[in-house]
Amino acid sequence: MNEQSERAAGRQFTDEQLQDLVVSTDSGARSPTSRSVALLISGLALAWSLFQLWIAQPQLWFAQYLPVLNSSQTRPIHLTFAIVLAFLAYPAFKASPRRHVPLVDWALAAVGGFCAFYVFLYSEHLALTARSGLPTPTQVVIGTVGLAILLEASRRALGPALTVVGLVFLLYAYMGTGWLIPDLIEHEGLSFSALINAQWLDTAGVFGIPLGVSTAFVFLFVLFGSLLDKAGAGNYFIQLAFAGLGHLRGGPAKAAVVGSAMTGLISGSSIANVVTTGTFTIPLMKRVGFSNEQAGSVEVASSVNGQIMPPVMGAAAFLMVEFIGISYLEVIKHAFIPAVISYIALIYIVHLEALKKDMPALGEAKSFGGMIVRFFVGFAVAGAGFTALIYAVGALRAVAPALTGPIMMAVLLAVYVGLVAVAARRPDLALDDPNAKEIRLPTVGQVYATGLHFVLPIVVLVWFLMVERQSPAKSAFYATALMLLIIVTQRPLKALLRGQGEAVGSETRAGFGDLREGLIAGARNMIGIGVATAAAGIIVATVTKTPIGTELAGLVEQLSGGVLIIMLMLVGLFSLILGMGLPTTANYIVVSSLMASVVVSLGAQEGLIVPLIAAHLFVFYFGIMADVTPPVGLASFAAAAVSGGDPIRTGFTAFFYSLRTVALPFLFIFNPTLILYGVDLGTMAGVLQALFVFVVATFAMLLFAAATQGYFLAPSRLHESAALLLVAFTLFVPNVWLDMVQSPFRAVPPAAFERVLAEVPEGTRLRLQIRGPDFNTGEMAETTLTMTAEGASAAERIQNSGLLLMPEGDVVRLEEPMFGSTAAEKLADFDFYSDTPVELAVVQVPRDRLPAQLFYLPALLLLGLVIALQRRRQTKPAF
């Protein structure tokens, strides 16, 4: 794009400046003029990617010639690469030199790299000394220097927020008391050597779970996305979105949403997503009638939502696996419906904006309803094909198990060559100038065949995750391995199939060049994540070594007055504020470590059983909103740079468009079915229930969007918007109304607990209200514990629960639950050795009651009334 067209578009930055904005944030802004230094940085990044590919799959044919490293060895090497590259790639300040690496940065890179590599080099010695509680003075010095350099690397790569938070937690862990530390979370303080031992030398601090997730899972997925993008998949997805949606009313905005959703599958950065898709979509949105701020806001809302879209979710999906202790597939299952309905609602929001402003379509207008029908038909066909593939492979495995693997590989290669042959018949895709006088949007028929081979690695990833039930790391490795083949061979194959035999050599070299650049880009994109997960380990270690993890619930309870909805608002606000200076991954680690258990425990005190996954998703959703929200909102600033709009107004508009993302966490806290909690997808009944939940939730979210936009079939009056909000709320959480009318449980005296437990059907979930002295304060506390009746008799069911009951007349005392049981974990805050006993206060047994869906009827009648009122004022079709 030339400078004249950029000025015409009202843009504040050129393409080069926008790319500089992305690399400054994601991969480091330094670009040395010295060829040897540039080669060193690229070489280190390339070596990091190759190292990660090696440790991802040690069972390959060459594994016998290379040592196999365990997690306590791979994590320090991972951090060594991240720290060294952070100081070489990220300048210290905005005014620092970008064309060469200062001597101080060389020194910090060398010393920081040594401190991290020391943990690998002397891992056996550390196991006998520091990790046994006896750190040597040398080890303490190395750990101290390593922590200081890590925090500086974090400041460079991520900004000051995580560094400041890390320092605050280190001071709190060391001091324990002070005028700024509330009495509730005071402690004796750790000695300096114990602090350094816990944070750097042990395996639970900097080198703990967050860095382990970055090493084992996140790098591979980021690398996979980088290779896909370098191969041309990002451009393909954008073009496909425009071919399918660009012809609709407000089509560029709808295409921006879908394009960003697909790009979000391969990009972990909302800012890179904004710039990548926004340079094309934002000018086209402005062209059909969106203001500068609206165009930027649509791109921001859709790009940031890419962080909640499985399978990567800004690396949070893999962290949830480790923090919650559930499988990766379970995380995907719980996160899928909220993410999809959020994107569907955003498409509807921009559709409503197009209706309000009577925006034209680009080219010949097409039917929005027809597009939806075609989408669902295509989705059904793809689903049927995938199901048929599962049965076909199952049959092959039953007939010839030894040949299944080779045959599947041969078929995969044949399909790949066939799809490349189809793509070779069409010219390669190139983005058009969005500011050209005449826009000619491509058709789906012209675009879809040019990049179908990019879908194969995604299919392989899904296959190994969902069908073969392999680990995320192994699944990502196989998908990445196929991507390596594609990026190297697609160019020469196309040249050969197009009859350009003389170009095969040059295209092969270009393919290897793409491979090299993709590997380097993937590693550079990981610098910030690697440093962030290591620095966030400081917070995790502090939470485990001090009372803040267990006592924060009491502090939040005091602030909220014990009211759950106020507590949730405080937690959401805390997540939002903390996220304003942190990347998604670091913010999720910090807030979930502090707040997820608080949501669960305070919910239990209110009698609401909040699943741990719902609490984690709650803090995660609010954390990602920080990329939107002023005054920081980095994605909003990036979008404003493209659109020429005001960044603060862009941020507020994007936040308004993202209200659905703010509302969703509250909804699935009170109705966990929205995240398919308790829904068994292994049965037909479970699948049908999931489909029902999806349809109802989507419909409710569309009504919520219409209410917040002030437009449904016509401009809405205030009472109509309020009615739409009421209908949407009822469809989302009908159980709230039913609970007001009919209690879900009947109370049973504790003395009758065993008799009732013997009578209820197996699998019944009872609620037990436990009362007793708090272990830390001695004051009386209450909580609600769920218990599933598992076993043939009451005694067996009690034994399976881990509870130890001591009936004494009408009172049922509790001894400390069996070690390792769920009950022991849930009741850990009670003092079972106090003179005041811990006792079973109330037993709540589920009662038969009306289905909550009955409240859909008055809600739909109210909706019908709103439709009747608005139909009188409707002047244009709703779709």
Tab-separated table of all heavy atoms in Angstrom, residues 401-436:
chain	number	residue	atom	x	y	z
A	401	PRO	N	-4.436	-54.302	12.434
A	401	PRO	CA	-3.916	-53.316	13.387
A	401	PRO	C	-2.478	-52.892	13.111
A	401	PRO	O	-2.123	-51.730	13.306
A	401	PRO	CB	-4.038	-54.040	14.742
A	401	PRO	CG	-4.177	-55.487	14.414
A	401	PRO	CD	-4.852	-55.544	13.092
A	402	ALA	N	-1.648	-53.822	12.630
A	402	ALA	CA	-0.243	-53.484	12.391
A	402	ALA	C	-0.070	-52.549	11.207
A	402	ALA	O	0.929	-51.806	11.123
A	402	ALA	CB	0.573	-54.763	12.166
A	403	LEU	N	-1.008	-52.577	10.254
A	403	LEU	CA	-0.882	-51.755	9.046
A	403	LEU	C	-1.638	-50.426	9.133
A	403	LEU	O	-1.558	-49.609	8.212
A	403	LEU	CB	-1.400	-52.546	7.833
A	403	LEU	CG	-0.646	-53.827	7.484
A	403	LEU	CD1	-1.339	-54.544	6.335
A	403	LEU	CD2	0.795	-53.495	7.115
A	404	THR	N	-2.373	-50.225	10.229
A	404	THR	CA	-3.214	-49.031	10.325
A	404	THR	C	-2.392	-47.753	10.230
A	404	THR	O	-2.725	-46.826	9.467
A	404	THR	CB	-4.009	-49.040	11.645
A	404	THR	OG1	-4.796	-50.222	11.703
A	404	THR	CG2	-4.914	-47.824	11.731
A	405	GLY	N	-1.294	-47.690	10.996
A	405	GLY	CA	-0.464	-46.485	10.989
A	405	GLY	C	0.111	-46.170	9.617
A	405	GLY	O	-0.070	-45.046	9.111
A	406	PRO	N	0.815	-47.128	8.976
A	406	PRO	CA	1.363	-46.850	7.644
A	406	PRO	C	0.292	-46.494	6.604
A	406	PRO	O	0.505	-45.606	5.775
A	406	PRO	CB	2.064	-48.173	7.281
A	406	PRO	CG	2.390	-48.794	8.591
A	406	PRO	CD	1.290	-48.419	9.509
A	407	ILE	N	-0.843	-47.192	6.652
A	407	ILE	CA	-1.903	-46.889	5.675
A	407	ILE	C	-2.442	-45.479	5.892
A	407	ILE	O	-2.656	-44.716	4.937
A	407	ILE	CB	-3.036	-47.933	5.777
A	407	ILE	CG1	-2.555	-49.299	5.266
A	407	ILE	CG2	-4.265	-47.475	4.996
A	407	ILE	CD1	-3.554	-50.411	5.447
A	408	MET	N	-2.653	-45.089	7.155
A	408	MET	CA	-3.155	-43.739	7.431
A	408	MET	C	-2.165	-42.677	6.968
A	408	MET	O	-2.556	-41.638	6.415
A	408	MET	CB	-3.438	-43.582	8.926
A	408	MET	CG	-4.667	-44.338	9.413
A	408	MET	SD	-4.967	-44.107	11.183
A	408	MET	CE	-5.385	-42.365	11.225
A	409	MET	N	-0.868	-42.921	7.165
A	409	MET	CA	0.146	-41.958	6.712
A	409	MET	C	0.142	-41.848	5.194
A	409	MET	O	0.234	-40.751	4.636
A	409	MET	CB	1.527	-42.381	7.218
A	409	MET	CG	1.713	-42.204	8.721
A	409	MET	SD	3.366	-42.702	9.273
A	409	MET	CE	4.392	-41.519	8.411
A	410	ALA	N	0.019	-43.002	4.507
A	410	ALA	CA	0.000	-42.994	3.042
A	410	ALA	C	-1.230	-42.245	2.520
A	410	ALA	O	-1.145	-41.442	1.590
A	410	ALA	CB	0.035	-44.421	2.507
A	411	VAL	N	-2.387	-42.499	3.142
A	411	VAL	CA	-3.616	-41.809	2.730
A	411	VAL	C	-3.497	-40.314	2.980
A	411	VAL	O	-3.897	-39.490	2.148
A	411	VAL	CB	-4.836	-42.395	3.475
A	411	VAL	CG1	-6.067	-41.540	3.243
A	411	VAL	CG2	-5.087	-43.824	3.024
A	412	LEU	N	-2.921	-39.943	4.130
A	412	LEU	CA	-2.756	-38.520	4.468
A	412	LEU	C	-1.869	-37.827	3.433
A	412	LEU	O	-2.188	-36.720	2.966
A	412	LEU	CB	-2.158	-38.384	5.868
A	412	LEU	CG	-1.964	-36.956	6.390
A	412	LEU	CD1	-3.308	-36.256	6.548
A	412	LEU	CD2	-1.217	-36.978	7.731
A	413	LEU	N	-0.770	-38.471	3.071
A	413	LEU	CA	0.124	-37.884	2.066
A	413	LEU	C	-0.572	-37.780	0.712
A	413	LEU	O	-0.412	-36.779	-0.007
A	413	LEU	CB	1.397	-38.719	1.948
A	413	LEU	CG	2.368	-38.632	3.128
A	413	LEU	CD1	3.528	-39.606	2.955
A	413	LEU	CD2	2.910	-37.208	3.279
A	414	ALA	N	-1.352	-38.802	0.354
A	414	ALA	CA	-2.067	-38.768	-0.924
A	414	ALA	C	-3.100	-37.642	-0.938
A	414	ALA	O	-3.245	-36.924	-1.943
A	414	ALA	CB	-2.744	-40.118	-1.170
A	415	VAL	N	-3.808	-37.479	0.176
A	415	VAL	CA	-4.789	-36.394	0.269
A	415	VAL	C	-4.092	-35.044	0.183
A	415	VAL	O	-4.574	-34.119	-0.492
A	415	VAL	CB	-5.595	-36.508	1.582
A	415	VAL	CG1	-6.456	-35.274	1.800
A	415	VAL	CG2	-6.465	-37.753	1.563
A	416	TYR	N	-2.953	-34.920	0.842
A	416	TYR	CA	-2.202	-33.662	0.785
A	416	TYR	C	-1.785	-33.323	-0.640
A	416	TYR	O	-1.989	-32.194	-1.116
A	416	TYR	CB	-0.972	-33.757	1.700
A	416	TYR	CG	0.048	-32.675	1.446
A	416	TYR	CD1	-0.272	-31.334	1.622
A	416	TYR	CD2	1.341	-32.996	1.020
A	416	TYR	CE1	0.662	-30.339	1.376
A	416	TYR	CE2	2.279	-32.014	0.783
A	416	TYR	CZ	1.935	-30.688	0.952
A	416	TYR	OH	2.863	-29.705	0.709
A	417	VAL	N	-1.216	-34.300	-1.330
A	417	VAL	CA	-0.790	-34.053	-2.715
A	417	VAL	C	-1.998	-33.701	-3.584
A	417	VAL	O	-1.937	-32.798	-4.431
A	417	VAL	CB	-0.045	-35.292	-3.279
A	417	VAL	CG1	0.237	-35.104	-4.766
A	417	VAL	CG2	1.256	-35.517	-2.516
A	418	GLY	N	-3.122	-34.392	-3.355
A	418	GLY	CA	-4.326	-34.093	-4.118
A	418	GLY	C	-4.826	-32.673	-3.867
A	418	GLY	O	-5.221	-31.974	-4.812
A	419	LEU	N	-4.815	-32.227	-2.623
A	419	LEU	CA	-5.286	-30.878	-2.307
A	419	LEU	C	-4.337	-29.815	-2.852
A	419	LEU	O	-4.774	-28.750	-3.309
A	419	LEU	CB	-5.434	-30.718	-0.787
A	419	LEU	CG	-6.550	-31.556	-0.141
A	419	LEU	CD1	-6.568	-31.360	1.365
A	419	LEU	CD2	-7.908	-31.196	-0.741
A	420	VAL	N	-3.041	-30.098	-2.829
A	420	VAL	CA	-2.085	-29.155	-3.432
A	420	VAL	C	-2.298	-29.088	-4.945
A	420	VAL	O	-2.199	-28.020	-5.551
A	420	VAL	CB	-0.628	-29.555	-3.095
A	420	VAL	CG1	0.363	-28.694	-3.881
A	420	VAL	CG2	-0.370	-29.414	-1.598
A	421	ALA	N	-2.615	-30.239	-5.553
A	421	ALA	CA	-2.903	-30.246	-6.992
A	421	ALA	C	-4.119	-29.385	-7.309
A	421	ALA	O	-4.152	-28.653	-8.303
A	421	ALA	CB	-3.121	-31.680	-7.464
A	422	VAL	N	-5.145	-29.447	-6.454
A	422	VAL	CA	-6.326	-28.597	-6.634
A	422	VAL	C	-5.936	-27.128	-6.490
A	422	VAL	O	-6.362	-26.271	-7.277
A	422	VAL	CB	-7.416	-28.969	-5.601
A	422	VAL	CG1	-8.565	-27.972	-5.648
A	422	VAL	CG2	-7.932	-30.375	-5.876
A	423	ALA	N	-5.109	-26.819	-5.491
A	423	ALA	CA	-4.679	-25.435	-5.275
A	423	ALA	C	-3.817	-24.929	-6.424
A	423	ALA	O	-3.863	-23.741	-6.774
A	423	ALA	CB	-3.912	-25.332	-3.959
A	424	ALA	N	-3.030	-25.830	-7.025
A	424	ALA	CA	-2.128	-25.419	-8.098
A	424	ALA	C	-2.881	-24.962	-9.349
A	424	ALA	O	-2.323	-24.244	-10.188
A	424	ALA	CB	-1.177	-26.566	-8.445
A	425	ARG	N	-4.143	-25.372	-9.501
A	425	ARG	CA	-4.925	-24.965	-10.665
A	425	ARG	C	-5.398	-23.521	-10.564
A	425	ARG	O	-5.918	-22.969	-11.535
A	425	ARG	CB	-6.144	-25.877	-10.838
A	425	ARG	CG	-5.805	-27.341	-11.034
A	425	ARG	CD	-7.027	-28.126	-11.486
A	425	ARG	NE	-6.777	-29.550	-11.465
A	425	ARG	CZ	-7.238	-30.384	-10.546
A	425	ARG	NH1	-8.011	-29.910	-9.572
A	425	ARG	NH2	-6.969	-31.681	-10.582
A	426	ARG	N	-5.234	-22.919	-9.399
A	426	ARG	CA	-5.676	-21.546	-9.173
A	426	ARG	C	-4.481	-20.688	-8.792
A	426	ARG	O	-3.513	-21.185	-8.206
A	426	ARG	CB	-6.732	-21.492	-8.057
A	426	ARG	CG	-8.038	-22.184	-8.447
A	426	ARG	CD	-8.918	-22.392	-7.217
A	426	ARG	NE	-10.251	-22.893	-7.583
A	426	ARG	CZ	-10.517	-24.153	-7.866
A	426	ARG	NH1	-9.545	-25.050	-7.853
A	426	ARG	NH2	-11.745	-24.520	-8.189
A	427	PRO	N	-4.527	-19.397	-9.061
A	427	PRO	CA	-3.409	-18.528	-8.659
A	427	PRO	C	-3.330	-18.404	-7.150
A	427	PRO	O	-4.335	-18.518	-6.453
A	427	PRO	CB	-3.759	-17.184	-9.315
A	427	PRO	CG	-5.237	-17.237	-9.538
A	427	PRO	CD	-5.567	-18.670	-9.804
A	428	ASP	N	-2.125	-18.182	-6.650
A	428	ASP	CA	-1.950	-18.010	-5.203
A	428	ASP	C	-2.682	-16.756	-4.742
A	428	ASP	O	-2.776	-15.760	-5.468
A	428	ASP	CB	-0.459	-17.896	-4.852
A	428	ASP	CG	0.280	-19.203	-5.105
A	428	ASP	OD1	-0.365	-20.267	-5.044
A	428	ASP	OD2	1.499	-19.145	-5.370
A	429	LEU	N	-3.203	-16.798	-3.515
A	429	LEU	CA	-3.977	-15.680	-2.980
A	429	LEU	C	-3.060	-14.510	-2.632
A	429	LEU	O	-1.954	-14.685	-2.145
A	429	LEU	CB	-4.719	-16.107	-1.714
A	429	LEU	CG	-5.813	-17.164	-1.882
A	429	LEU	CD1	-6.375	-17.530	-0.508
A	429	LEU	CD2	-6.923	-16.646	-2.775
A	430	ALA	N	-3.569	-13.319	-2.904
A	430	ALA	CA	-2.867	-12.092	-2.517
A	430	ALA	C	-3.906	-11.102	-2.034
A	430	ALA	O	-4.968	-10.960	-2.645
A	430	ALA	CB	-2.088	-11.514	-3.695
A	431	LEU	N	-3.616	-10.436	-0.914
A	431	LEU	CA	-4.556	-9.453	-0.390
A	431	LEU	C	-4.660	-8.258	-1.330
A	431	LEU	O	-3.647	-7.721	-1.784
A	431	LEU	CB	-4.120	-8.977	0.993
A	431	LEU	CG	-4.452	-9.893	2.172
A	431	LEU	CD1	-3.872	-9.327	3.458
A	431	LEU	CD2	-5.950	-10.063	2.320
A	432	ASP	N	-5.888	-7.841	-1.607
A	432	ASP	CA	-6.108	-6.669	-2.444
A	432	ASP	C	-5.923	-5.400	-1.616
A	432	ASP	O	-5.873	-5.423	-0.388
A	432	ASP	CB	-7.525	-6.699	-3.029
A	432	ASP	CG	-7.748	-7.914	-3.912
A	432	ASP	OD1	-6.801	-8.292	-4.621
A	432	ASP	OD2	-8.863	-8.478	-3.870
A	433	ASP	N	-5.828	-4.257	-2.312
A	433	ASP	CA	-5.752	-2.964	-1.644
A	433	ASP	C	-7.155	-2.579	-1.196
A	433	ASP	O	-8.038	-2.354	-2.029
A	433	ASP	CB	-5.190	-1.922	-2.617
A	433	ASP	CG	-5.035	-0.558	-1.949
A	433	ASP	OD1	-5.383	-0.431	-0.755
A	433	ASP	OD2	-4.568	0.380	-2.625
A	434	PRO	N	-7.401	-2.468	0.116
A	434	PRO	CA	-8.757	-2.141	0.574
A	434	PRO	C	-9.188	-0.729	0.221
A	434	PRO	O	-10.357	-0.381	0.341
A	434	PRO	CB	-8.657	-2.327	2.091
A	434	PRO	CG	-7.214	-2.128	2.412
A	434	PRO	CD	-6.464	-2.653	1.225
A	435	ASN	N	-8.220	0.118	-0.206
A	435	ASN	CA	-8.558	1.495	-0.556
A	435	ASN	C	-8.660	1.699	-2.068
A	435	ASN	O	-8.734	2.837	-2.546
A	435	ASN	CB	-7.513	2.448	0.024
A	435	ASN	CG	-7.476	2.399	1.537
A	435	ASN	OD1	-8.464	2.678	2.187
A	435	ASN	ND2	-6.330	2.014	2.098
A	436	ALA	N	-8.650	0.590	-2.826
A	436	ALA	CA	-8.803	0.711	-4.277
A	436	ALA	C	-10.180	1.281	-4.627
A	436	ALA	O	-11.136	1.146	-3.868
A	436	ALA	CB	-8.613	-0.666	-4.922
